[in-house]
Amino acid sequence: MVILKTSPSHASPCPGVDLYTLPDSRFKRAILEVHFDRALADGFSPARFLLGRVLEQGTQSHPSRMELTREEEGLWGGCVALDGDRLADAHRMTLSCSWVGAEFLPEGEVAESGILALGQELMSKPLPDSSGSPFQATSFQRERSQLALRIRTLKDDKAAWARERYLQCLCEGESYGTPPWESEEKVLSLTPEEVDTARLSLVKRAPVTAIAVGPIQADSIAPWLQSWLGGSERDSTPINEATPIPSELREVHEQMPMDQARFLMGFRFPELSSSEDLEALSLATSLLGGGTHSRLFRVVREEKSLCYGISAGTRLKKGILTVGAGIDAQAYEEVRDEVLRQVQVLVHGDYSNQELEDARAGLLHDLDTIGDSATGLSRYSAREVMLGMHRSPAERAEKIQSLDKDSVSNMASQWNASLVYLLEGGQG
């Protein structure tokens, strides 16, 4: 196992803009992700959520979706896209660009500069309407209606609906508990002017983190960012809210017409500031519900047949550990109690050394495969930047190797059971 030892290089092309580059000639395609962060609580999240869909319908120089696609195809199959979602207490909008490296193109051909220009155009030169509106009226109304329809029909995806309701209940009173689109009614009330204000806030005010991986020309990306995003005063206030620690376990049961019930149990834990704590959390989570080797899978599913599938995962910046399972509603109490019992198994170290090594091996395998794709490297780098750690995969692996049962016990003892949410069959 040879785990990647390198980390991206850092530069700041202009105030409020950070660039991390990791040139790697093994990959055919380069990936650049430009992340713009604004507070979820600023009131513009629904407008930003609609923004990406509207901007992708055309620009001043490429006034239709088809013409944008033709331009991408002309740039040797490059791609630009804009999307967003909540990231802790921030709403992160991401401009994604990808292109084929110059060494894989005919001599003299370059795709990078064209794709960068198209990405900038997508966010900075929207197609206005003849009436003076910042966006073409027909496409704006269509995209707004389609987003409202998507929100209205979210209930048709029972797992997605359960996850959203779980977060709303778990994070009640926190910005994270409100979806970025807020509501169907809010989306339908949005005006082109509100959406354009949200766009300008991203381009001119949002702190920016850019990550470029693959066959990139690193010395060309920084000047592009500076020429586009420089000259603006960007917000520097940290986007953080306090993480509440629950005093008691709450239980919420809701009903919808459905067959398999959805069980979601949330634990809160305090902010983790050290590399050791972060990796202890990874190891403890893996032991609890990180795969077929985990306690929850082997006991709750295999031994007791209480669920169809069960797993655990974390939202690090919000201090949330979630156990999710598909169950028969009649097994609810048994599953809830067994999850609590398995957490105590970790706290007291009542599991075998082999279980610990299996969980460790799974984490190390994941770190070993990060360098297999530019996408994997980009996501890994974004995570490290978000955490403020900037560790290489090899550095994380070394820390994981040093952890023992006491590390797991100390971490699991910090998990505070906060909410059990059940979505079960019924009239609703």
XYZ file of all heavy atoms in Angstrom, residues 41-121:
610
model
N -27.928 31.809 6.725
C -28.905 32.665 7.390
C -29.038 34.046 6.756
O -29.755 34.895 7.298
C -28.523 32.818 8.860
N -28.391 34.299 5.608
C -28.437 35.654 5.048
C -29.707 35.952 4.257
O -29.913 37.062 3.777
C -27.212 35.928 4.172
C -27.204 35.140 2.861
O -28.111 34.307 2.647
O -26.277 35.349 2.055
N -30.574 34.940 4.097
C -31.840 35.155 3.420
C -31.828 34.946 1.924
O -32.881 35.019 1.280
N -30.654 34.683 1.352
C -30.558 34.555 -0.100
C -30.357 33.116 -0.584
O -30.150 32.898 -1.777
C -29.412 35.428 -0.630
C -29.771 36.884 -0.732
C -29.448 37.761 0.289
C -30.453 37.378 -1.836
C -29.780 39.101 0.212
C -30.788 38.715 -1.934
C -30.456 39.588 -0.903
N -30.402 32.143 0.330
C -30.164 30.759 -0.091
C -31.155 30.279 -1.151
O -30.756 29.642 -2.126
C -30.187 29.822 1.118
O -29.014 29.977 1.887
N -32.477 30.544 -1.025
C -33.392 30.113 -2.094
C -33.033 30.737 -3.448
O -33.101 30.060 -4.485
C -34.761 30.588 -1.596
C -34.620 30.650 -0.115
C -33.217 31.120 0.117
N -32.640 32.000 -3.441
C -32.255 32.656 -4.692
C -31.002 32.019 -5.278
O -30.897 31.812 -6.498
C -32.031 34.150 -4.447
N -30.028 31.690 -4.424
C -28.820 31.032 -4.927
C -29.138 29.641 -5.452
O -28.536 29.184 -6.432
C -27.768 30.958 -3.811
C -27.092 32.279 -3.505
C -25.914 32.085 -2.561
N -26.338 31.643 -1.244
C -26.566 32.452 -0.217
N -26.424 33.757 -0.347
N -26.930 31.965 0.954
N -30.066 28.944 -4.778
C -30.410 27.592 -5.213
C -31.014 27.614 -6.613
O -30.782 26.704 -7.410
C -31.394 26.968 -4.215
C -31.329 25.470 -4.156
C -30.298 24.835 -3.489
C -32.290 24.701 -4.773
C -30.223 23.451 -3.433
C -32.225 23.312 -4.728
C -31.188 22.686 -4.045
N -31.783 28.639 -6.910
C -32.357 28.786 -8.248
C -31.331 29.318 -9.238
O -31.391 29.004 -10.435
C -33.563 29.726 -8.177
C -34.259 30.090 -9.489
C -34.770 28.846 -10.222
C -35.403 31.067 -9.223
N -30.371 30.093 -8.759
C -29.415 30.780 -9.626
C -28.702 29.847 -10.594
O -28.618 30.134 -11.792
C -28.384 31.513 -8.758
C -27.238 32.210 -9.496
C -27.763 33.355 -10.344
C -26.189 32.705 -8.499
N -28.161 28.746 -10.077
C -27.398 27.846 -10.939
C -28.214 27.341 -12.107
O -27.719 27.245 -13.239
N -29.476 27.020 -11.863
C -30.345 26.503 -12.922
C -30.626 27.566 -13.977
O -30.690 27.275 -15.177
C -31.649 25.994 -12.300
C -31.449 24.771 -11.427
C -32.539 24.607 -10.384
N -32.361 23.380 -9.615
C -31.490 23.250 -8.624
N -30.736 24.256 -8.262
N -31.378 22.100 -7.987
N -30.767 28.816 -13.529
C -31.053 29.900 -14.465
C -29.821 30.239 -15.307
O -29.905 30.398 -16.531
C -31.549 31.143 -13.709
C -31.686 32.332 -14.650
C -32.888 30.858 -13.029
N -28.665 30.348 -14.659
C -27.453 30.727 -15.388
C -27.091 29.709 -16.459
O -26.543 30.079 -17.504
C -26.292 30.892 -14.408
C -26.370 32.081 -13.453
C -25.145 32.122 -12.546
C -26.505 33.395 -14.209
N -27.371 28.433 -16.228
C -27.000 27.399 -17.195
C -27.887 27.394 -18.437
O -27.666 26.601 -19.349
C -27.033 26.029 -16.517
C -25.899 25.831 -15.515
C -25.931 24.468 -14.858
O -26.978 23.796 -14.930
O -24.901 24.070 -14.272
N -28.861 28.308 -18.495
C -29.732 28.371 -19.674
C -29.168 29.264 -20.779
O -29.710 29.292 -21.887
C -31.128 28.876 -19.273
C -31.800 28.029 -18.217
C -31.717 26.544 -18.520
O -32.157 26.096 -19.585
N -31.173 25.778 -17.580
N -28.099 29.996 -20.506
C -27.504 30.809 -21.555
C -26.809 32.037 -21.011
O -27.096 32.501 -19.903
N -25.874 32.564 -21.802
C -25.134 33.772 -21.447
C -25.264 34.778 -22.580
O -25.863 34.502 -23.621
C -23.648 33.457 -21.219
O -23.061 33.077 -22.477
C -23.465 32.324 -20.213
N -24.684 35.941 -22.394
C -24.750 36.970 -23.428
C -24.099 36.513 -24.728
O -24.575 36.829 -25.814
C -24.090 38.250 -22.919
C -24.831 38.903 -21.758
C -24.105 40.101 -21.184
O -23.283 40.716 -21.864
N -24.397 40.433 -19.932
N -23.012 35.762 -24.636
C -22.316 35.300 -25.842
C -22.806 33.947 -26.331
O -22.596 33.595 -27.500
C -20.807 35.216 -25.571
O -20.289 36.482 -25.217
N -23.448 33.186 -25.448
C -23.978 31.869 -25.803
C -25.408 31.792 -25.275
O -25.663 31.233 -24.207
C -23.107 30.757 -25.203
C -21.680 30.797 -25.653
N -20.732 31.573 -25.016
C -21.038 30.185 -26.683
C -19.569 31.424 -25.630
N -19.725 30.596 -26.640
N -26.362 32.384 -26.010
C -27.709 32.646 -25.483
C -28.669 31.470 -25.422
O -29.875 31.669 -25.510
C -28.218 33.728 -26.431
C -27.508 33.481 -27.705
C -26.154 32.976 -27.333
N -28.173 30.260 -25.282
C -29.055 29.105 -25.097
C -28.252 27.962 -24.502
O -27.009 27.951 -24.576
C -29.670 28.656 -26.427
O -28.694 28.068 -27.270
N -28.964 27.004 -23.939
C -28.305 25.822 -23.389
C -27.563 25.077 -24.498
O -26.464 24.558 -24.290
C -29.366 24.926 -22.736
C -28.808 23.728 -21.977
C -28.113 24.156 -20.713
N -27.651 23.026 -19.927
C -28.241 22.604 -18.812
N -29.311 23.213 -18.360
N -27.752 21.593 -18.132
N -28.155 25.036 -25.680
C -27.538 24.327 -26.796
C -26.228 24.994 -27.211
O -25.230 24.306 -27.483
C -28.500 24.270 -27.984
C -27.934 23.518 -29.187
S -29.129 23.354 -30.518
C -30.311 22.230 -29.765
N -26.206 26.308 -27.228
C -24.977 26.993 -27.641
C -23.877 26.844 -26.598
O -22.689 26.770 -26.944
C -25.275 28.465 -27.923
C -26.148 28.667 -29.169
C -26.089 30.085 -29.695
O -24.997 30.691 -29.631
O -27.117 30.576 -30.169
N -24.254 26.810 -25.320
C -23.257 26.530 -24.285
C -22.671 25.136 -24.468
O -21.447 24.944 -24.363
C -23.895 26.640 -22.904
C -24.105 28.041 -22.324
C -24.947 27.977 -21.060
C -22.769 28.718 -22.035
N -23.525 24.171 -24.782
C -23.065 22.798 -24.992
C -22.156 22.707 -26.206
O -21.129 22.007 -26.187
C -24.264 21.853 -25.145
O -25.071 21.916 -23.963
C -23.807 20.421 -25.369
N -22.507 23.408 -27.265
C -21.659 23.402 -28.467
C -20.288 23.977 -28.171
O -19.266 23.479 -28.669
C -22.336 24.213 -29.570
C -23.497 23.493 -30.253
C -24.197 24.420 -31.215
N -25.284 23.744 -31.924
C -26.216 24.363 -32.631
N -26.205 25.696 -32.718
N -27.161 23.678 -33.252
N -20.251 25.028 -27.349
C -18.966 25.622 -26.994
C -18.123 24.633 -26.194
O -16.911 24.504 -26.423
C -19.187 26.904 -26.191
C -17.920 27.627 -25.774
C -17.159 28.237 -26.933
O -17.706 28.290 -28.051
O -15.993 28.667 -26.719
N -18.757 23.928 -25.266
C -18.035 22.917 -24.492
C -17.489 21.819 -25.399
O -16.335 21.397 -25.253
C -18.968 22.314 -23.441
C -19.340 23.268 -22.323
C -20.405 22.711 -21.403
O -21.293 21.982 -21.891
O -20.360 22.993 -20.198
N -18.305 21.356 -26.330
C -17.854 20.311 -27.248
C -16.718 20.803 -28.134
O -15.778 20.050 -28.439
C -19.028 19.842 -28.111
C -20.085 19.074 -27.322
C -21.287 18.714 -28.164
O -21.395 19.239 -29.291
O -22.122 17.911 -27.693
N -16.776 22.080 -28.517
C -15.701 22.651 -29.324
C -14.400 22.784 -28.566
O -13.331 22.886 -29.173
N -14.495 22.801 -27.255
C -13.301 22.855 -26.403
C -12.918 21.444 -25.960
O -12.575 21.198 -24.808
C -13.562 23.758 -25.197
C -13.698 25.248 -25.534
C -14.282 26.023 -24.363
C -12.346 25.827 -25.939
N -12.997 20.515 -26.890
C -12.569 19.134 -26.698
C -13.297 18.454 -25.533
O -12.699 17.755 -24.715
C -11.053 19.062 -26.509
C -10.300 19.637 -27.668
C -9.827 20.901 -27.809
C -9.963 18.961 -28.883
N -9.214 21.073 -29.021
C -9.280 19.887 -29.711
C -10.179 17.666 -29.362
C -8.810 19.557 -30.972
C -9.693 17.341 -30.623
C -9.023 18.275 -31.416
N -14.609 18.704 -25.475
C -15.403 18.019 -24.468
C -15.238 18.558 -23.071
O -15.423 17.829 -22.094
N -14.924 19.844 -22.966
C -14.837 20.456 -21.645
C -16.215 20.590 -21.013
O -17.240 20.299 -21.640
N -16.246 21.038 -19.776
C -17.526 21.131 -19.069
C -17.481 22.248 -18.043
O -16.474 22.422 -17.341
C -17.836 19.799 -18.386
S -19.409 19.778 -17.500
N -18.565 23.010 -17.945
C -18.740 23.979 -16.872
C -20.126 23.766 -16.270
O -21.084 23.448 -16.988
C -18.587 25.439 -17.351
C -17.183 25.694 -17.870
C -19.617 25.778 -18.409
N -20.257 23.909 -14.965
C -21.540 23.722 -14.293
C -21.529 24.501 -12.992
O -20.467 24.784 -12.422
C -21.799 22.241 -14.022
N -22.718 24.849 -12.521
C -22.861 25.591 -11.270
C -23.921 24.910 -10.417
O -25.030 24.633 -10.880
C -23.268 27.034 -11.548
C -23.387 27.969 -10.338
C -22.031 28.148 -9.664
C -23.942 29.328 -10.763
N -23.571 24.623 -9.171
C -24.509 23.964 -8.272
C -24.176 24.366 -6.844
O -23.101 24.919 -6.582
C -24.436 22.445 -8.441
C -25.695 21.743 -7.948
O -26.629 22.431 -7.509
O -25.738 20.501 -7.996
N -25.087 24.069 -5.919
C -24.836 24.451 -4.539
C -25.599 23.609 -3.544
O -26.586 22.960 -3.877
N -25.122 23.646 -2.302
C -25.788 22.953 -1.206
C -25.235 23.524 0.090
O -24.230 24.255 0.092
C -25.546 21.444 -1.284
C -26.628 20.644 -0.564
O -27.451 21.263 0.138
O -26.645 19.412 -0.696
N -25.864 23.184 1.199
C -25.390 23.671 2.488
C -24.129 22.914 2.891
O -23.992 21.717 2.640
C -26.481 23.528 3.535
C -27.030 22.146 3.677
C -28.295 22.129 4.526
N -29.084 20.944 4.214
C -30.333 20.767 4.593
N -30.943 21.689 5.276
N -30.982 19.681 4.269
N -23.219 23.625 3.496
C -22.004 23.050 4.058
C -21.841 23.654 5.443
O -21.425 24.803 5.572
C -20.785 23.363 3.186
C -19.451 22.837 3.705
C -19.410 21.316 3.642
C -18.285 23.425 2.921
N -22.220 22.885 6.464
C -22.311 23.410 7.823
C -23.237 24.627 7.793
O -24.343 24.539 7.293
C -20.922 23.719 8.366
N -22.776 25.780 8.276
C -23.643 26.949 8.339
C -23.494 27.845 7.116
O -24.031 28.955 7.089
C -23.336 27.749 9.608
C -23.599 26.916 10.858
O -24.673 26.275 10.922
O -22.737 26.885 11.751
N -22.805 27.359 6.110
C -22.636 28.098 4.862
C -23.464 27.459 3.751
O -23.773 26.268 3.788
C -21.168 28.128 4.456
N -23.846 28.286 2.797
C -24.404 27.785 1.545
C -23.283 27.892 0.529
O -22.849 28.987 0.185
C -25.605 28.632 1.111
C -26.330 28.076 -0.067
N -27.186 28.819 -0.827
C -26.328 26.841 -0.627
C -27.696 28.074 -1.800
N -27.172 26.871 -1.688
N -22.779 26.756 0.085
C -21.639 26.730 -0.831
C -22.118 26.561 -2.261
O -22.737 25.561 -2.609
C -20.669 25.614 -0.452
C -19.612 25.315 -1.505
C -18.447 24.513 -0.955
N -17.576 25.349 -0.136
C -16.388 24.960 0.332
N -15.944 23.737 0.068
N -15.647 25.776 1.061
N -21.819 27.555 -3.083
C -22.062 27.467 -4.520
C -20.744 27.134 -5.201
O -19.712 27.755 -4.903
C -22.622 28.781 -5.055
C -23.985 29.156 -4.486
S -25.286 27.990 -4.920
C -25.388 28.232 -6.699
N -20.770 26.168 -6.102
C -19.537 25.679 -6.721
C -19.612 25.776 -8.230
O -20.513 25.219 -8.861
C -19.260 24.226 -6.319
O -19.123 24.153 -4.889
C -17.978 23.716 -6.969
N -18.655 26.507 -8.800
C -18.456 26.516 -10.241
C -17.467 25.405 -10.563
O -16.312 25.454 -10.129
C -17.900 27.865 -10.711
C -17.494 27.937 -12.178
C -18.708 27.818 -13.105
C -16.720 29.229 -12.475
N -17.925 24.387 -11.286
C -17.074 23.244 -11.640
C -16.649 23.351 -13.092
O -17.491 23.563 -13.975
C -17.832 21.928 -11.424
O -18.233 21.789 -10.078
N -15.358 23.221 -13.337
C -14.812 23.250 -14.690
C -13.926 22.019 -14.887
O -13.163 21.647 -13.987
C -13.962 24.507 -14.922
S -14.810 26.073 -14.624
N -14.019 21.418 -16.047
C -13.116 20.305 -16.363
C -12.746 20.374 -17.828
O -13.525 20.855 -18.654
C -13.756 18.954 -16.031
O -14.837 18.682 -16.888
N -11.538 19.900 -18.127
C -11.054 19.944 -19.501
C -9.957 18.909 -19.698
O -9.371 18.405 -18.737
C -10.515 21.346 -19.825
C -9.362 21.772 -18.965
C -8.033 21.562 -19.195
C -9.447 22.478 -17.711
N -7.282 22.090 -18.179
C -8.112 22.664 -17.267
C -10.504 22.973 -16.937
C -7.833 23.317 -16.073
C -10.203 23.618 -15.757
C -8.889 23.785 -15.329
N -9.694 18.591 -20.941
C -8.643 17.638 -21.290
C -7.299 18.362 -21.279
O -7.167 19.468 -21.824
C -8.904 17.015 -22.675
C -7.754 16.077 -23.060
C -10.227 16.263 -22.677
N -6.296 17.741 -20.639
C -4.977 18.341 -20.554
C -4.331 18.531 -21.921
O -4.576 17.758 -22.853
N -3.497 19.564 -22.040
C -2.896 19.927 -23.332
C -2.075 18.781 -23.918
O -2.031 18.608 -25.144
C -2.016 21.162 -23.150
N -1.461 17.954 -23.058
C -0.622 16.859 -23.563
C -1.429 15.763 -24.235
O -0.866 14.907 -24.923
C 0.238 16.282 -22.439
C -0.525 15.823 -21.221
C -0.633 16.880 -20.147
O -1.024 18.018 -20.465
O -0.339 16.554 -18.981
N -2.757 15.783 -24.043
C -3.622 14.781 -24.665
C -4.369 15.327 -25.878
O -5.227 14.644 -26.441
C -4.626 14.253 -23.638
C -3.983 13.609 -22.444
C -3.859 14.306 -21.251
C -3.474 12.321 -22.520
C -3.258 13.726 -20.143
C -2.881 11.729 -21.417
C -2.766 12.433 -20.223
N -4.048 16.553 -26.270
C -4.699 17.189 -27.417
C -3.722 17.292 -28.581
O -2.504 17.169 -28.399
C -5.189 18.589 -27.029
C -6.245 18.658 -25.923
C -6.548 20.120 -25.595
C -7.507 17.929 -26.344
N -4.226 17.530 -29.800
C -3.329 17.756 -30.937
C -2.373 18.914 -30.654
O -2.719 19.852 -29.913
C -4.288 18.091 -32.080
C -5.570 17.438 -31.695
C -5.647 17.525 -30.204
N -1.209 18.864 -31.215
C -0.193 19.883 -30.968
C -0.741 21.281 -31.252
O -1.374 21.533 -32.270
C 1.030 19.620 -31.843
C 2.201 20.540 -31.544
C 3.448 20.176 -32.324
O 3.428 19.132 -33.022
O 4.437 20.933 -32.239
N -0.513 22.163 -30.282
C -0.959 23.541 -30.434
C -2.352 23.815 -29.902
O -2.756 24.979 -29.778
N -3.108 22.771 -29.551
C -4.467 22.951 -29.037
C -4.450 23.048 -27.509
O -3.714 22.328 -26.846
C -5.367 21.786 -29.458
C -5.603 21.711 -30.962
C -6.532 22.802 -31.444
O -7.227 23.414 -30.594
O -6.569 23.065 -32.656
N -5.269 23.952 -27.000
C -5.402 24.135 -25.558
C -6.871 24.325 -25.226
O -7.558 25.120 -25.870
C -4.602 25.355 -25.059
C -4.822 25.557 -23.554
C -3.116 25.179 -25.345
N -7.360 23.590 -24.229
C -8.762 23.719 -23.821
C -8.926 24.540 -22.550
O -9.989 25.130 -22.322
C -9.368 22.334 -23.622
N -7.872 24.593 -21.726
C -8.000 25.200 -20.402
C -8.464 26.643 -20.453
O -9.439 27.018 -19.779
C -6.665 25.122 -19.665
C -6.701 25.749 -18.288
C -5.377 25.608 -17.538
O -4.894 24.470 -17.393
O -4.847 26.640 -17.099
N -7.803 27.484 -21.234
C -8.155 28.907 -21.251
C -9.585 29.133 -21.711
O -10.296 30.002 -21.181
C -7.184 29.677 -22.144
O -7.179 29.140 -23.467
N -10.039 28.352 -22.688
C -11.408 28.491 -23.175
C -12.435 28.104 -22.139
O -13.476 28.768 -21.979
N -12.164 27.022 -21.394
C -13.104 26.579 -20.363
C -13.139 27.571 -19.201
O -14.209 27.878 -18.654
C -12.738 25.170 -19.869
C -13.084 24.136 -20.945
C -13.443 24.840 -18.572
C -14.567 24.020 -21.233
N -11.985 28.098 -18.812
C -11.965 29.097 -17.747
C -12.770 30.329 -18.152
O -13.540 30.883 -17.348
C -10.527 29.490 -17.411
C -9.636 28.401 -16.817
C -8.253 28.954 -16.502
C -10.253 27.789 -15.570
N -12.605 30.757 -19.379
C -13.354 31.920 -19.864
C -14.854 31.636 -19.872
O -15.667 32.506 -19.522
C -12.872 32.304 -21.264
N -15.228 30.415 -20.246
C -16.645 30.059 -20.289
C -17.227 29.992 -18.878
O -18.369 30.412 -18.650
C -16.819 28.727 -21.004
C -18.263 28.318 -21.332
C -18.908 29.322 -22.278
C -18.297 26.919 -21.951
N -16.449 29.483 -17.929
C -16.914 29.444 -16.548
C -17.142 30.837 -15.987
O -18.157 31.101 -15.325
N -16.219 31.739 -16.268
C -16.390 33.121 -15.828
C -17.610 33.751 -16.486
O -18.391 34.459 -15.840
C -15.136 33.916 -16.167
C -15.215 35.388 -15.782
C -13.931 36.132 -16.085
O -12.867 35.515 -16.290
N -13.996 37.454 -16.108
N -17.779 33.484 -17.759
C -18.926 34.024 -18.492
C -20.243 33.535 -17.910
O -21.220 34.290 -17.814
C -18.810 33.613 -19.963
C -19.935 34.109 -20.860
C -19.787 33.580 -22.277
O -18.656 33.529 -22.787
O -20.817 33.207 -22.866
